[in-house]
Amino acid sequence: QLDPENTGFIGVETFASLVHSHELPLDPAKLDMLVALAQGNDEGQVCYQELVDLISSKRSSSFKRAIANGQRALPRDVLLDETGLGIYKRFVRYVAYEILPCEMDRRWYFYQHRTCPPPVFMAAVTLTQIIVFLCYGARLNKWVLQTYHPEYMKSPLVYHPGHRARAWRFLTYMFMHVGLEQLGFNALLQLMIGVPLEMVHGILRISFLYLAGVLAGSLTVSITDMRAPLVGGSGGVYAL
């Protein structure tokens, strides 16, 4: 009745009046979250699927807390209207608008963004990958496509399904790279995506996510190609 054109959306004011007149009490936290999601889009509408997902608890608890807590702490002004920002905060705002499509998500990211503690995990992983690459480059005197060198593939860090009994290789292969192109691509993405994520979500979540992607890569190779050696941090980058 409230959506005669069958768009799947109704206005947030209409939804609020419907909730207040409904005879069955609904979870206030879920309602607050749904209204927060509606206020975050340009039209200020409630999506039917969002309602179904929230009422049926399909959303993860961490997502619910992030939306609910973040929304309560945010000012209502549009992020672009913020004045008096330094160079660094303007860069953070630029990242928010380049990556996030929703104004509420942009504001949540902007105000939750922290420089302390610093994003040490992504920085340490990237630095270690560069150091390992330089060490093997100097040792083998080969800076491009190092994997074509036989000694490179004998490294105790490289993962190969035939060596899966050496459990550390499931993760340590992320420090090795095919060549300069792969290293540069992965390092750039880790710094551009991983660092901003770590500054919001913290070292524990991002390190677990990254390492889970690395582990998923070696496990996938183990069941798809038993002859293939594996190097590079691409699994972690894709996870991010």
Side-chain angles (χ1 to χ4, degrees):
Q1 294 174 347
L2 299 174
D3 183 21
E5 298 180 2
N6 197 28
T7 63
F9 294 85
I10 63 173
V12 67
E13 294 84 3
T14 305
F15 175 75
S17 62
L18 177 66
V19 168
H20 293 314
S21 62
H22 200 279
E23 60 183 5
L24 296 177
L26 302 178
D27 186 347
K30 292 184 178 181
L31 293 178
D32 290 344
M33 200 180 322
L34 189 64
V35 173
L37 289 169
Q39 292 171 342
N41 62 48
D42 296 334
E43 293 80 14
Q45 294 179 323
V46 173
C47 173
Y48 176 72
Q49 190 58 48
E50 289 284 0
L51 173 64
V52 172
D53 290 345
L54 280 172
I55 299 302
S56 60
S57 298
K58 288 184 179 179
R59 292 289 194 182
S60 67
S61 59
S62 60
F63 176 85
K64 294 175 185 178
R65 287 196 302 271
I67 292 294
N69 295 336
Q71 184 66 19
R72 279 197 294 269
L74 292 179
R76 297 292 179 179
D77 298 333
V78 177
L79 187 55
L80 282 177
D81 296 336
E82 287 276 354
T83 59
L85 298 179
I87 296 177
Y88 177 73
K89 294 300 288 185
R90 287 202 299 268
F91 173 75
V92 173
R93 181 174 63 181
Y94 172 79
V95 171
Y97 272 88
E98 283 296 312
I99 296 178
L100 301 170
C102 174
E103 181 65 24
M104 183 186 68
D105 292 337
R106 294 166 182 161
R107 287 187 283 118
W108 187 87
Y109 171 75
F110 182 81
Y111 290 105
Q112 293 293 320
H113 192 276
R114 298 288 183 269
T115 56
C116 185
V120 293
F121 175 76
M122 292 311 311
V125 168
T126 304
L127 181 61
T128 303
Q129 291 170 340
I130 294 174
I131 292 174
V132 170
F133 182 83
L134 293 176
C135 289
Y136 275 96
R139 175 183 169 187
L140 306 176
N141 194 26
K142 191 174 182 65
W143 300 96
V144 180
L145 297 177
Q146 292 180 350
T147 49
Y148 283 85
H149 198 291
E151 292 298 320
Y152 186 81
M153 299 311 298
K154 294 180 181 179
S155 169
L157 301 179
V158 174
Y159 177 74
H160 191 287
H163 297 309
R164 60 186 179 277
R166 302 169 184 175
W168 69 86
R169 291 177 180 253
F170 280 93
L171 294 176
T172 56
Y173 78 91
M174 71 180 184
F175 298 117
M176 310 286 288
H177 283 82
V178 171
L180 190 59
E181 182 179 351
Q182 186 194 28
L183 173 65
F185 181 76
N186 284 347
L188 181 63
L189 286 180
Q190 286 173 185
L191 295 176
M192 289 181 61
I193 300 176
V195 168
L197 284 174
E198 188 177 346
M199 296 177 85
V200 169
H201 296 284
I203 184 174
L204 290 179
R205 284 187 177 185
I206 295 306
S207 60
F208 177 80
L209 179 67
Y210 186 89
L211 294 176
V214 172
L215 181 60
S218 53
L219 291 175
T220 302
V221 169
S222 295
I223 62 175
T224 56
D225 191 349
M226 292 293 292
R227 300 168 297 176
L230 185 63
V231 295
S234 299
V237 172
Y238 284 129
L240 293 176

